[in-house]
Amino acid sequence: MDTIVRFFQEGGSFMFPISIVLAIGLAIALERYWFLGSARRTNKKAFKELEPLLASQNFDKIIQITQNSTAPIARVIGAGITRLGVSPRREDIEYAMEEGLMETVPRLEKRTQYLGMLANISTLLGLLGTIIGLIAAFSAVANADPSEKASLLSQSISVAMNTTAYGLIAAIPLLLLHSLLQTKTTEIVESMEMAGVKCLNTLIAKENLAPKTRTTDQ
């Protein structure tokens, strides 16, 4: 603990803004991780509920569920079913579902890109702190006793490098969290696209089966 306290004290004033950047980044990462996990769970629950209704063509019930559901996949499927009531063409239904997906994706990607920016800011703050520390160190050495210049310069440089080290310590986990959240977001979007294709294929299959049944009865 004493080592950490001394590390902060020797790093100078730039250690505090780097700490603030790190805290903001971790808060965003935790919020996004919770949101994406919740979206993934609600998507699975909603699709399990909607899949048998799609097979039975209970469209009124599907629209009712999608209007009351907070699951992102519900918006996509609801848009397709709503368009089905206006136009039975596959292209129109597909366009409506793509539009619903485009409305949902920004909510999933919201604030995630800030993590990469915050990682860059922490790195740059660390470098800036080091540069300012080196400038102060050389200024102090210029007025020091010649016999003490070497030891004073090496000590000052060591202190100045603390901010660069701390900037990297803050940036690396933020970049890792950024990559993790992007991967989770991509997985959710791909699962929604797959669910949309399954929904569309189910609707088309049911529409194609109906005429064949009537022809057989005749």
Side-chain angles (χ1 to χ4, degrees), residues 87-108:
S87 171
R89 295 177 64 242
R90 179 188 178 105
E91 292 80 4
D92 293 337
I93 300 171
E94 190 172 356
Y95 291 152
M97 296 178 75
E98 288 179 358
E99 181 180 348
L101 183 63
M102 292 174 64
E103 292 176 356
T104 303
V105 169
R107 298 182 182 180
L108 298 174

Side-chain angles (χ1 to χ4, degrees), residues 29-43 107-110 112 180-186 188:
L30 288 173
E31 185 272 334
R32 288 287 88 194
Y33 189 85
W34 177 86
F35 179 84
L36 293 175
S38 176
R40 189 173 184 175
R41 290 189 297 270
T42 54
N43 275 349
R107 298 182 182 180
L108 298 174
E109 296 178 342
K110 190 177 181 180
T112 300
L180 173 65
L181 292 174
Q182 277 193 326
T183 301
K184 288 180 68 69
T185 302
T186 301
I188 292 174

Side-chain angles (χ1 to χ4, degrees), residues 54 59-60 62-64 66-67 74-88 92-93 96-97 199 203:
L54 287 168
F59 299 142
D60 292 336
I62 292 174
I63 293 175
Q64 180 183 354
T66 54
Q67 288 176 346
R75 179 184 294 271
V76 177
I77 295 177
I81 298 301
T82 302
R83 182 62 59 88
L84 179 63
V86 179
S87 171
D92 293 337
I93 300 171
M97 296 178 75
C199 171
L203 293 174

Side-chain angles (χ1 to χ4, degrees), residues 200-211:
L200 187 61
N201 290 337
T202 301
L203 293 174
I204 299 303
K206 291 296 181 180
E207 290 296 320
N208 290 336
L209 285 174

